[in-house]
Each structure stands twice: as C-alpha cells, then as structure tokens.
Amino acid sequence: MPVNPELYFDWAATAIPDQDILESALKKSLGSWANPSSVHAAGKAARAALEEARAKCATVLGVQAKQLFFTSGGTESDHIPLLAILNRPEKGNVAVSSIEHPALREMADELKKCGIECRMIPADKNGFVTPEAVLQTVDAKTLFVSVMAVNNETGAVQPIQKIAAALEEQYKGKRKPRFHVDCVQALGKIPIDFLNDSGVDSAAFSAHKICGPRGIGLLYLKKEEEIFLRGGGQEGGVRSGTENLFGAIAFGECLEKYAFVSGQKNERLQKQKEWTDSFIKELLAIKGAAIIPESRGNLSQENFSPWVIQASFKNIPGQVMLRALDAKGICVSTGSACSSKKASRPILEAMGVPQGQRETSVRFSFGPATTREGMQALLDAVKEVCAAFN
C-alpha cells in the first residue's frame, strides 16, 4: 500500500529516497561502468566520477577529500576505526557512551573476547553525555572513545566539541585515545561544524538518512591510521572492496541538497524547530502523554534535534500505538530500526526511564517531506488512540 510521505514519521530509521537524485546518479554511474581501480581509459573515467563525488562530500562537510572514505554504511564506518585498535600492541580499554547505536555499543562489547575491556560512559537522566562523565570513565589505558552526535531515539544533541576539548586537555602531552563520533543522525538534521580543527579523530555518516540510497556510507579520518581489516586496498586501504560508484555519486548530491551548513540560515530547519516546539506542547496536553526526557519541555530546544521526539502514552504499549497508527496510514516506530525486534530499550534504560514508561514509548521522527498539516494529522490520530484507551 502506498504511503503518504506527509504521514511518514520514521525518518530516523530511513529517509524517503530522493528519486530525482537517485535516477541521476544511476544514469551517471551507468555511463562510468568500469572498475575505478582499472588503469585503462574506462577505469580512469569511473575513478574521476568517484573522486568528483568525494570532493562534493568534502566541500559540504568542510574537510579535505583525502580524509573521506566511502563505506557500505554507518555501521561499517563505526566499525573501521573501532577495530583499528586491534593493531595496537597494548591491550587497553574502550569507552563508549551508554546511548550509542548498537553498531558501536555491541561491537565494543565483543572486543572483550580479544582481551579489551569495554567501559560504558553513563548518560544523565536527560540523555546527555557530559565531558565530566567521559573523563571519569577513561584512563591512561583507554584506546578509543565514542559519543554519538545526535541520539537516534531522543534527539539529544551531545556536546561533542566540549568533550573533544576535555579529552585534548586531559591527555595533553600524553597519548590521547581516538575520539570517534557517530554522525548518522546528525547529518541533514543539524549543522556539522565539529570536524575540522577539533579533537574529533573519526566520524561516521550514512546516505539513506538524508534521502540517499541504502548501502553507502562515509568515514571521516582526521589522520591516517593503520586499519585492521585487509583486502584489495581500495579507498586508500581503509575500506577494501570495489567501490559503489552509484552510491557515492548519490551521496554527494544528497549532501549538497540536504545537509545543513554551519553559519548559514536555513528556513526549513527553522520551520521544523517551530513545528516541533508546537507539536510537543500539544502532545503534552493529551491525557497520559509524556515526552522522554520529561525535561525536554523545559530545556532549550537547541539541546535537541527538532527532527526526533520520543514520547510515552500511559496504558498503551508502544507496539499497540504503532499498529493503531499504522492502521490509519501513519508510520512511526518504537525506537531504533536496528533494535526493533528486541524487547529491550537500552538507551532509555541507560537514562533511567522506568520500565513501564519504556514499554509505552514510541518515536516520531521527521524529514524534508514532513509538513505542518501532516504533523497535525499525527496529533489528531494520537488523540483518537489515547481516547480509546483512557
């Protein structure tokens, strides 16, 4: 059944693809069909197209093209710098925030089998990881630190620049652990202004969160580092495997169209902030409804992405709300799509959200096709479901 884009509120799981960009990218890639690693004329044409796409991405992100590497997606872009510590002769520890995406949280935990301790950096009740919490978790043996830029379930914008500065100060004159940032939910949602000239050593991005195709990601590496995974040596030896030229071209074009550039006023972003602020106020007027974290109604909205809201509804299990809205043609989720088949909600649990509230929570996430009218239709539908249960 076709889905009305204005009633699609699961953008944090995946964005509706930009058909014009994907068709254009496919046409361009079909015109440069050779292997970019081949040295003949056809291969050189494909290589030129790939490097043009990389340059576009670099310009938008404000970094050097040689610092960007195409991957298969956000998960691989998280794994590459994390697994690079296996090349280190010493066996230390890694510190990841308790609100990380499973791609990092669960992979870091697996490193225990390799003799590397995994430490969790606690988040506070509002879903934020403070620089103080990071410094209290790390020590001289910490090899890798990871804190995501924007949480995929609550929308909490983490103080990345302050954490980076705190780590730089803490380890001044000593070996500093690699600081990695998962930017998957930040790209196209907030300006990315913390890569260049900062203490961020690596960052992960994914195209399908900004209307691009699935199966293509980007990894930013501030400096060259020895990678654990080996293969044919493509992407400067950072990510082996024949390059996805179609995906790379589409990613570059989506970045140009949808990414927010720091310092530039964006009317669409401002509109979403206003709509989300109004949405939260109306949602809180519904009997039994609450926002997670509850303090979001009082804190500055600058601390949260306006594109993600986590809410709970007393006496209505999240899966029930999801199905009730789905029956009305409205798409929402109960959290990360990567964890949708699991009963636990580790991010909400890390924030100290009571079990009953975790079980009755759903996530509303917005995107470029979202309209004020669509958000009002969502509110009306939620009110109807709540009225039927209370």
Side-chain angles (χ1 to χ4, degrees):
M1 183 178 73
V3 174
N4 181 348
E6 292 188 29
L7 299 181
Y8 179 72
F9 301 105
D10 198 19
W11 290 82
T14 199
I16 298 174
D18 187 309
Q19 186 171 337
D20 290 340
I21 286 180
L22 267 62
E23 288 179 351
S24 172
L26 180 59
K27 185 177 180 179
K28 290 178 181 178
S29 65
L30 289 173
S32 301
W33 44 263
N35 191 317
S37 295
S38 297
V39 296
H40 46 61
K44 290 178 180 177
R47 169 61 58 183
L50 182 70
E51 296 310 320
E52 181 182 353
R54 195 189 315 276
K56 282 187 179 182
C57 295
T59 297
V60 175
L61 294 174
V63 300
Q64 300 177 53
K66 66 179 182 180
Q67 295 175 310
L68 293 180
F69 306 90
F70 289 110
T71 68
S72 65
T75 293
E76 188 176 29
S77 294
D78 282 332
H79 286 181
I80 290 173
L82 172 61
L83 295 179
I85 68 172
L86 295 176
N87 288 316
R88 304 284 283 272
E90 68 271 32
K91 298 296 182 182
N93 63 75
V94 297
V96 301
S97 82
S98 58
I99 58 169
E100 290 301 292
H101 187 276
L104 274 161
R105 190 179 62 249
E106 296 191 15
M107 189 70 247
D109 193 54
E110 281 293 300
L111 291 179
K112 293 177 181 178
K113 298 175 182 177
C114 301
I116 296 173
E117 178 190 0
C118 176
R119 297 179 176 182
M120 287 292 166
I121 307 168
D124 63 23
K125 64 180 181 180
N126 296 317
F128 296 103
V129 176
T130 66
E132 292 75 22
V134 173
L135 296 185
Q136 289 170 8
T137 305
V138 301
D139 61 19
K141 293 185 177 181
T142 303
L143 304 173
F144 179 90
V145 174
S146 181
V147 179
M148 69 195 325
V150 174
N151 186 258
N152 54 304
E153 294 199 23
T154 67
V157 178
Q158 305 303 320
I160 297 302
Q161 289 174 309
K162 292 181 179 179
I163 292 172
L167 286 170
E168 290 282 343
E169 180 64 27
Q170 176 83 352
Y171 289 92
K172 186 178 293 184
K174 305 174 185 176
R175 178 195 57 77
K176 183 182 81 71
R178 295 276 184 176
F179 181 34
H180 176 74
V181 181
D182 184 322
C183 294
V184 169
Q185 288 296 339
L187 192 61
K189 306 295 175 60
I190 64 171
I192 305 293
D193 56 3
F194 46 75
L195 295 182
N196 204 15
D197 298 324
S198 77
V200 174
D201 297 297
S202 58
F205 305 90
S206 183
H208 78 100
K209 305 295 188 180
I210 57 166
C211 305
R214 291 181 285 265
I216 184 73
L218 268 175
L219 169 64
Y220 161 78
L221 289 179
K222 184 177 182 180
K223 296 179 180 179
E224 189 176 315
E225 62 179 280
E226 186 180 357
I227 302 303
F228 178 73
L229 301 174
R230 295 288 190 271
Q234 292 89 344
E235 291 298 291
V238 170
R239 197 273 178 178
S240 293
T242 303
E243 299 91 343
N244 176 357
L245 182 57
F246 156 69
I249 293 172
F251 203 166
E253 294 182 0
C254 284
L255 269 169
E256 286 188 328
K257 183 174 180 178
Y258 294 106
F260 296 121
V261 179
S262 180
Q264 292 185 6
K265 185 177 181 180
N266 187 284
E267 292 183 5
R268 181 65 186 88
L269 179 58
Q270 188 57 41
K271 278 184 180 179
Q272 191 60 50
K273 289 180 179 180
E274 295 170 2
W275 295 349
T276 298
D277 187 52
S278 176
F279 183 90
I280 290 174
K281 290 177 181 177
E282 291 191 54
L283 196 66
L284 289 174
I286 300 174
K287 183 180 178 181
I291 299 294
I292 301 175
E294 293 183 8
S295 60
R296 180 168 182 174
N298 302 319
L299 293 173
S300 168
Q301 289 306 307
E302 294 301 318
N303 294 320
F304 294 90
S305 163
W307 307 92
V308 178
I309 294 175
Q310 184 82 208
S312 65
F313 301 91
K314 191 174 181 180
N315 301 326
I316 309 176
Q319 287 292 339
V320 172
M321 176 62 80
L322 186 156
R323 286 193 284 268
L325 292 177
D326 192 41
K328 298 176 182 291
I330 296 173
C331 300
V332 301
S333 69
T334 54
S336 169
C338 297
S339 302
S340 61
K341 296 181 180 179
K342 300 178 182 179
S344 63
R345 299 292 299 276
I347 290 174
L348 302 186
E349 189 174 353
M351 293 166 56
V353 176
Q355 182 177 351
Q357 193 174 18
R358 297 199 301 268
E359 293 174 349
T360 60
S361 67
V362 295
R363 180 182 68 184
F364 306 125
S365 53
F366 315 115
T370 300
T371 64
R372 184 69 187 91
E373 293 73 20
M375 292 177 70
Q376 186 60 52
L378 171 59
L379 274 169
D380 293 341
V382 169
K383 289 177 183 177
E384 290 177 7
V385 176
C386 290
F389 280 83
N390 294 293

PDB file of all heavy atoms in Angstrom, residues 335-364:
ATOM      1  N   GLY A 335      11.465   2.860  18.275  1.00  0.00           N
ATOM      2  CA  GLY A 335      12.874   3.097  18.571  1.00  0.00           C
ATOM      3  C   GLY A 335      13.728   2.789  17.371  1.00  0.00           C
ATOM      4  O   GLY A 335      13.259   2.798  16.230  1.00  0.00           O
ATOM      5  N   SER A 336      14.992   2.501  17.593  1.00  0.00           N
ATOM      6  CA  SER A 336      15.926   2.206  16.517  1.00  0.00           C
ATOM      7  C   SER A 336      15.449   1.028  15.687  1.00  0.00           C
ATOM      8  O   SER A 336      15.086  -0.015  16.220  1.00  0.00           O
ATOM      9  CB  SER A 336      17.305   1.896  17.102  1.00  0.00           C
ATOM     10  OG  SER A 336      18.163   1.363  16.118  1.00  0.00           O
ATOM     11  N   ALA A 337      15.439   1.189  14.357  1.00  0.00           N
ATOM     12  CA  ALA A 337      15.035   0.103  13.480  1.00  0.00           C
ATOM     13  C   ALA A 337      15.977  -1.089  13.629  1.00  0.00           C
ATOM     14  O   ALA A 337      15.571  -2.235  13.456  1.00  0.00           O
ATOM     15  CB  ALA A 337      15.027   0.583  12.025  1.00  0.00           C
ATOM     16  N   CYS A 338      17.238  -0.823  13.973  1.00  0.00           N
ATOM     17  CA  CYS A 338      18.217  -1.898  14.137  1.00  0.00           C
ATOM     18  C   CYS A 338      17.941  -2.742  15.380  1.00  0.00           C
ATOM     19  O   CYS A 338      18.507  -3.813  15.546  1.00  0.00           O
ATOM     20  CB  CYS A 338      19.625  -1.311  14.206  1.00  0.00           C
ATOM     21  SG  CYS A 338      20.112  -0.456  12.695  1.00  0.00           S
ATOM     22  N   SER A 339      17.092  -2.222  16.278  1.00  0.00           N
ATOM     23  CA  SER A 339      16.760  -2.953  17.510  1.00  0.00           C
ATOM     24  C   SER A 339      15.269  -3.228  17.610  1.00  0.00           C
ATOM     25  O   SER A 339      14.778  -3.605  18.669  1.00  0.00           O
ATOM     26  CB  SER A 339      17.202  -2.152  18.741  1.00  0.00           C
ATOM     27  OG  SER A 339      18.583  -1.877  18.700  1.00  0.00           O
ATOM     28  N   SER A 340      14.544  -3.060  16.495  1.00  0.00           N
ATOM     29  CA  SER A 340      13.086  -3.142  16.533  1.00  0.00           C
ATOM     30  C   SER A 340      12.559  -4.525  16.897  1.00  0.00           C
ATOM     31  O   SER A 340      11.430  -4.661  17.367  1.00  0.00           O
ATOM     32  CB  SER A 340      12.501  -2.717  15.180  1.00  0.00           C
ATOM     33  OG  SER A 340      12.948  -3.578  14.143  1.00  0.00           O
ATOM     34  N   LYS A 341      13.372  -5.572  16.695  1.00  0.00           N
ATOM     35  CA  LYS A 341      12.921  -6.923  17.007  1.00  0.00           C
ATOM     36  C   LYS A 341      13.318  -7.353  18.416  1.00  0.00           C
ATOM     37  O   LYS A 341      13.098  -8.490  18.819  1.00  0.00           O
ATOM     38  CB  LYS A 341      13.477  -7.909  15.972  1.00  0.00           C
ATOM     39  CG  LYS A 341      12.948  -7.652  14.560  1.00  0.00           C
ATOM     40  CD  LYS A 341      13.492  -8.650  13.565  1.00  0.00           C
ATOM     41  CE  LYS A 341      12.955  -8.369  12.165  1.00  0.00           C
ATOM     42  NZ  LYS A 341      13.476  -9.318  11.160  1.00  0.00           N
ATOM     43  N   LYS A 342      13.918  -6.422  19.167  1.00  0.00           N
ATOM     44  CA  LYS A 342      14.328  -6.721  20.535  1.00  0.00           C
ATOM     45  C   LYS A 342      13.378  -6.037  21.516  1.00  0.00           C
ATOM     46  O   LYS A 342      12.933  -4.917  21.288  1.00  0.00           O
ATOM     47  CB  LYS A 342      15.761  -6.237  20.779  1.00  0.00           C
ATOM     48  CG  LYS A 342      16.786  -6.890  19.848  1.00  0.00           C
ATOM     49  CD  LYS A 342      18.180  -6.344  20.097  1.00  0.00           C
ATOM     50  CE  LYS A 342      19.190  -6.955  19.131  1.00  0.00           C
ATOM     51  NZ  LYS A 342      20.549  -6.411  19.334  1.00  0.00           N
ATOM     52  N   ALA A 343      13.069  -6.726  22.593  1.00  0.00           N
ATOM     53  CA  ALA A 343      12.120  -6.184  23.571  1.00  0.00           C
ATOM     54  C   ALA A 343      12.743  -5.079  24.418  1.00  0.00           C
ATOM     55  O   ALA A 343      12.044  -4.211  24.920  1.00  0.00           O
ATOM     56  CB  ALA A 343      11.614  -7.317  24.463  1.00  0.00           C
ATOM     57  N   SER A 344      14.056  -5.112  24.609  1.00  0.00           N
ATOM     58  CA  SER A 344      14.710  -4.140  25.485  1.00  0.00           C
ATOM     59  C   SER A 344      14.864  -2.794  24.801  1.00  0.00           C
ATOM     60  O   SER A 344      14.878  -2.690  23.577  1.00  0.00           O
ATOM     61  CB  SER A 344      16.083  -4.658  25.918  1.00  0.00           C
ATOM     62  OG  SER A 344      16.922  -4.812  24.788  1.00  0.00           O
ATOM     63  N   ARG A 345      14.983  -1.749  25.607  1.00  0.00           N
ATOM     64  CA  ARG A 345      15.232  -0.387  25.110  1.00  0.00           C
ATOM     65  C   ARG A 345      16.445   0.139  25.852  1.00  0.00           C
ATOM     66  O   ARG A 345      16.333   0.918  26.804  1.00  0.00           O
ATOM     67  CB  ARG A 345      14.006   0.502  25.359  1.00  0.00           C
ATOM     68  CG  ARG A 345      12.722   0.055  24.669  1.00  0.00           C
ATOM     69  CD  ARG A 345      12.811   0.188  23.166  1.00  0.00           C
ATOM     70  NE  ARG A 345      13.026   1.568  22.763  1.00  0.00           N
ATOM     71  CZ  ARG A 345      12.045   2.457  22.609  1.00  0.00           C
ATOM     72  NH1 ARG A 345      10.786   2.119  22.824  1.00  0.00           N
ATOM     73  NH2 ARG A 345      12.324   3.687  22.218  1.00  0.00           N
ATOM     74  N   PRO A 346      17.655  -0.290  25.450  1.00  0.00           N
ATOM     75  CA  PRO A 346      18.873   0.031  26.204  1.00  0.00           C
ATOM     76  C   PRO A 346      19.145   1.517  26.373  1.00  0.00           C
ATOM     77  O   PRO A 346      19.679   1.930  27.397  1.00  0.00           O
ATOM     78  CB  PRO A 346      19.981  -0.667  25.415  1.00  0.00           C
ATOM     79  CG  PRO A 346      19.403  -0.923  24.068  1.00  0.00           C
ATOM     80  CD  PRO A 346      17.953  -1.140  24.291  1.00  0.00           C
ATOM     81  N   ILE A 347      18.809   2.333  25.383  1.00  0.00           N
ATOM     82  CA  ILE A 347      19.061   3.774  25.501  1.00  0.00           C
ATOM     83  C   ILE A 347      18.185   4.383  26.585  1.00  0.00           C
ATOM     84  O   ILE A 347      18.662   5.129  27.455  1.00  0.00           O
ATOM     85  CB  ILE A 347      18.836   4.474  24.147  1.00  0.00           C
ATOM     86  CG1 ILE A 347      19.945   4.066  23.166  1.00  0.00           C
ATOM     87  CG2 ILE A 347      18.805   5.999  24.323  1.00  0.00           C
ATOM     88  CD1 ILE A 347      19.750   4.587  21.758  1.00  0.00           C
ATOM     89  N   LEU A 348      16.903   4.056  26.570  1.00  0.00           N
ATOM     90  CA  LEU A 348      16.001   4.581  27.594  1.00  0.00           C
ATOM     91  C   LEU A 348      16.356   4.024  28.967  1.00  0.00           C
ATOM     92  O   LEU A 348      16.262   4.720  29.980  1.00  0.00           O
ATOM     93  CB  LEU A 348      14.545   4.248  27.238  1.00  0.00           C
ATOM     94  CG  LEU A 348      14.044   4.779  25.890  1.00  0.00           C
ATOM     95  CD1 LEU A 348      12.548   4.503  25.736  1.00  0.00           C
ATOM     96  CD2 LEU A 348      14.332   6.261  25.741  1.00  0.00           C
ATOM     97  N   GLU A 349      16.783   2.779  28.997  1.00  0.00           N
ATOM     98  CA  GLU A 349      17.203   2.167  30.264  1.00  0.00           C
ATOM     99  C   GLU A 349      18.425   2.886  30.818  1.00  0.00           C
ATOM    100  O   GLU A 349      18.523   3.123  32.031  1.00  0.00           O
ATOM    101  CB  GLU A 349      17.512   0.690  30.038  1.00  0.00           C
ATOM    102  CG  GLU A 349      17.755  -0.090  31.321  1.00  0.00           C
ATOM    103  CD  GLU A 349      17.913  -1.573  31.075  1.00  0.00           C
ATOM    104  OE1 GLU A 349      17.701  -2.024  29.941  1.00  0.00           O
ATOM    105  OE2 GLU A 349      18.253  -2.290  32.041  1.00  0.00           O
ATOM    106  N   ALA A 350      19.357   3.250  29.937  1.00  0.00           N
ATOM    107  CA  ALA A 350      20.574   3.956  30.364  1.00  0.00           C
ATOM    108  C   ALA A 350      20.247   5.322  30.944  1.00  0.00           C
ATOM    109  O   ALA A 350      20.988   5.849  31.774  1.00  0.00           O
ATOM    110  CB  ALA A 350      21.532   4.106  29.191  1.00  0.00           C
ATOM    111  N   MET A 351      19.128   5.891  30.528  1.00  0.00           N
ATOM    112  CA  MET A 351      18.698   7.189  31.030  1.00  0.00           C
ATOM    113  C   MET A 351      17.917   7.077  32.332  1.00  0.00           C
ATOM    114  O   MET A 351      17.536   8.090  32.919  1.00  0.00           O
ATOM    115  CB  MET A 351      17.824   7.898  29.979  1.00  0.00           C
ATOM    116  CG  MET A 351      18.559   8.297  28.722  1.00  0.00           C
ATOM    117  SD  MET A 351      17.420   8.762  27.371  1.00  0.00           S
ATOM    118  CE  MET A 351      16.468  10.074  28.167  1.00  0.00           C
ATOM    119  N   GLY A 352      17.660   5.844  32.761  1.00  0.00           N
ATOM    120  CA  GLY A 352      16.900   5.643  33.996  1.00  0.00           C
ATOM    121  C   GLY A 352      15.398   5.759  33.814  1.00  0.00           C
ATOM    122  O   GLY A 352      14.661   5.951  34.789  1.00  0.00           O
ATOM    123  N   VAL A 353      14.927   5.634  32.579  1.00  0.00           N
ATOM    124  CA  VAL A 353      13.483   5.693  32.329  1.00  0.00           C
ATOM    125  C   VAL A 353      12.844   4.429  32.897  1.00  0.00           C
ATOM    126  O   VAL A 353      13.302   3.315  32.609  1.00  0.00           O
ATOM    127  CB  VAL A 353      13.190   5.797  30.810  1.00  0.00           C
ATOM    128  CG1 VAL A 353      11.687   5.767  30.551  1.00  0.00           C
ATOM    129  CG2 VAL A 353      13.819   7.065  30.243  1.00  0.00           C
ATOM    130  N   PRO A 354      11.784   4.549  33.710  1.00  0.00           N
ATOM    131  CA  PRO A 354      11.138   3.373  34.310  1.00  0.00           C
ATOM    132  C   PRO A 354      10.653   2.384  33.246  1.00  0.00           C
ATOM    133  O   PRO A 354      10.287   2.786  32.132  1.00  0.00           O
ATOM    134  CB  PRO A 354       9.945   3.980  35.072  1.00  0.00           C
ATOM    135  CG  PRO A 354      10.348   5.386  35.346  1.00  0.00           C
ATOM    136  CD  PRO A 354      11.153   5.805  34.145  1.00  0.00           C
ATOM    137  N   GLN A 355      10.648   1.114  33.593  1.00  0.00           N
ATOM    138  CA  GLN A 355      10.285   0.067  32.638  1.00  0.00           C
ATOM    139  C   GLN A 355       8.901   0.295  32.039  1.00  0.00           C
ATOM    140  O   GLN A 355       8.713   0.142  30.827  1.00  0.00           O
ATOM    141  CB  GLN A 355      10.335  -1.311  33.305  1.00  0.00           C
ATOM    142  CG  GLN A 355      10.010  -2.444  32.336  1.00  0.00           C
ATOM    143  CD  GLN A 355      10.138  -3.817  32.973  1.00  0.00           C
ATOM    144  OE1 GLN A 355      10.619  -3.957  34.095  1.00  0.00           O
ATOM    145  NE2 GLN A 355       9.712  -4.846  32.268  1.00  0.00           N
ATOM    146  N   GLY A 356       7.932   0.664  32.861  1.00  0.00           N
ATOM    147  CA  GLY A 356       6.589   0.881  32.363  1.00  0.00           C
ATOM    148  C   GLY A 356       6.533   1.951  31.291  1.00  0.00           C
ATOM    149  O   GLY A 356       5.821   1.819  30.296  1.00  0.00           O
ATOM    150  N   GLN A 357       7.321   2.999  31.485  1.00  0.00           N
ATOM    151  CA  GLN A 357       7.338   4.082  30.509  1.00  0.00           C
ATOM    152  C   GLN A 357       8.104   3.669  29.255  1.00  0.00           C
ATOM    153  O   GLN A 357       7.734   4.062  28.137  1.00  0.00           O
ATOM    154  CB  GLN A 357       7.959   5.341  31.126  1.00  0.00           C
ATOM    155  CG  GLN A 357       7.725   6.590  30.293  1.00  0.00           C
ATOM    156  CD  GLN A 357       8.219   7.856  30.972  1.00  0.00           C
ATOM    157  OE1 GLN A 357       9.028   7.805  31.899  1.00  0.00           O
ATOM    158  NE2 GLN A 357       7.732   8.990  30.513  1.00  0.00           N
ATOM    159  N   ARG A 358       9.142   2.871  29.423  1.00  0.00           N
ATOM    160  CA  ARG A 358       9.891   2.371  28.262  1.00  0.00           C
ATOM    161  C   ARG A 358       8.983   1.539  27.359  1.00  0.00           C
ATOM    162  O   ARG A 358       9.044   1.646  26.135  1.00  0.00           O
ATOM    163  CB  ARG A 358      11.085   1.514  28.692  1.00  0.00           C
ATOM    164  CG  ARG A 358      12.139   2.242  29.504  1.00  0.00           C
ATOM    165  CD  ARG A 358      13.461   1.502  29.485  1.00  0.00           C
ATOM    166  NE  ARG A 358      13.406   0.148  29.998  1.00  0.00           N
ATOM    167  CZ  ARG A 358      13.630  -0.199  31.266  1.00  0.00           C
ATOM    168  NH1 ARG A 358      13.925   0.745  32.166  1.00  0.00           N
ATOM    169  NH2 ARG A 358      13.583  -1.453  31.658  1.00  0.00           N
ATOM    170  N   GLU A 359       8.132   0.739  27.982  1.00  0.00           N
ATOM    171  CA  GLU A 359       7.267  -0.158  27.220  1.00  0.00           C
ATOM    172  C   GLU A 359       6.138   0.576  26.504  1.00  0.00           C
ATOM    173  O   GLU A 359       5.533   0.033  25.581  1.00  0.00           O
ATOM    174  CB  GLU A 359       6.684  -1.225  28.142  1.00  0.00           C
ATOM    175  CG  GLU A 359       7.736  -2.185  28.690  1.00  0.00           C
ATOM    176  CD  GLU A 359       7.187  -3.150  29.720  1.00  0.00           C
ATOM    177  OE1 GLU A 359       6.025  -2.938  30.156  1.00  0.00           O
ATOM    178  OE2 GLU A 359       7.884  -4.111  30.085  1.00  0.00           O
ATOM    179  N   THR A 360       5.844   1.801  26.935  1.00  0.00           N
ATOM    180  CA  THR A 360       4.743   2.558  26.316  1.00  0.00           C
ATOM    181  C   THR A 360       5.257   3.721  25.469  1.00  0.00           C
ATOM    182  O   THR A 360       4.504   4.641  25.155  1.00  0.00           O
ATOM    183  CB  THR A 360       3.795   3.108  27.397  1.00  0.00           C
ATOM    184  OG1 THR A 360       4.528   3.976  28.283  1.00  0.00           O
ATOM    185  CG2 THR A 360       3.169   1.981  28.202  1.00  0.00           C
ATOM    186  N   SER A 361       6.513   3.668  25.089  1.00  0.00           N
ATOM    187  CA  SER A 361       7.095   4.781  24.334  1.00  0.00           C
ATOM    188  C   SER A 361       7.168   4.488  22.839  1.00  0.00           C
ATOM    189  O   SER A 361       7.297   3.337  22.416  1.00  0.00           O
ATOM    190  CB  SER A 361       8.495   5.111  24.867  1.00  0.00           C
ATOM    191  OG  SER A 361       9.379   4.043  24.587  1.00  0.00           O
ATOM    192  N   VAL A 362       7.061   5.553  22.055  1.00  0.00           N
ATOM    193  CA  VAL A 362       7.202   5.475  20.601  1.00  0.00           C
ATOM    194  C   VAL A 362       8.058   6.647  20.143  1.00  0.00           C
ATOM    195  O   VAL A 362       8.205   7.641  20.871  1.00  0.00           O
ATOM    196  CB  VAL A 362       5.839   5.514  19.870  1.00  0.00           C
ATOM    197  CG1 VAL A 362       5.010   4.288  20.198  1.00  0.00           C
ATOM    198  CG2 VAL A 362       5.081   6.780  20.212  1.00  0.00           C
ATOM    199  N   ARG A 363       8.594   6.528  18.942  1.00  0.00           N
ATOM    200  CA  ARG A 363       9.427   7.595  18.391  1.00  0.00           C
ATOM    201  C   ARG A 363       8.753   8.194  17.167  1.00  0.00           C
ATOM    202  O   ARG A 363       8.311   7.482  16.268  1.00  0.00           O
ATOM    203  CB  ARG A 363      10.801   7.044  17.990  1.00  0.00           C
ATOM    204  CG  ARG A 363      11.737   8.108  17.404  1.00  0.00           C
ATOM    205  CD  ARG A 363      13.063   7.498  16.968  1.00  0.00           C
ATOM    206  NE  ARG A 363      12.927   6.602  15.820  1.00  0.00           N
ATOM    207  CZ  ARG A 363      13.923   5.892  15.302  1.00  0.00           C
ATOM    208  NH1 ARG A 363      15.117   5.956  15.850  1.00  0.00           N
ATOM    209  NH2 ARG A 363      13.719   5.103  14.253  1.00  0.00           N
ATOM    210  N   PHE A 364       8.671   9.517  17.167  1.00  0.00           N
ATOM    211  CA  PHE A 364       8.202  10.255  15.999  1.00  0.00           C
ATOM    212  C   PHE A 364       9.421  10.950  15.400  1.00  0.00           C
ATOM    213  O   PHE A 364      10.103  11.698  16.101  1.00  0.00           O
ATOM    214  CB  PHE A 364       7.165  11.306  16.384  1.00  0.00           C
ATOM    215  CG  PHE A 364       5.989  10.768  17.160  1.00  0.00           C
ATOM    216  CD1 PHE A 364       5.649  11.307  18.399  1.00  0.00           C
ATOM    217  CD2 PHE A 364       5.224   9.726  16.662  1.00  0.00           C
ATOM    218  CE1 PHE A 364       4.563  10.826  19.118  1.00  0.00           C
ATOM    219  CE2 PHE A 364       4.137   9.229  17.371  1.00  0.00           C
ATOM    220  CZ  PHE A 364       3.807   9.778  18.602  1.00  0.00           C
TER     221      PHE A 364
END
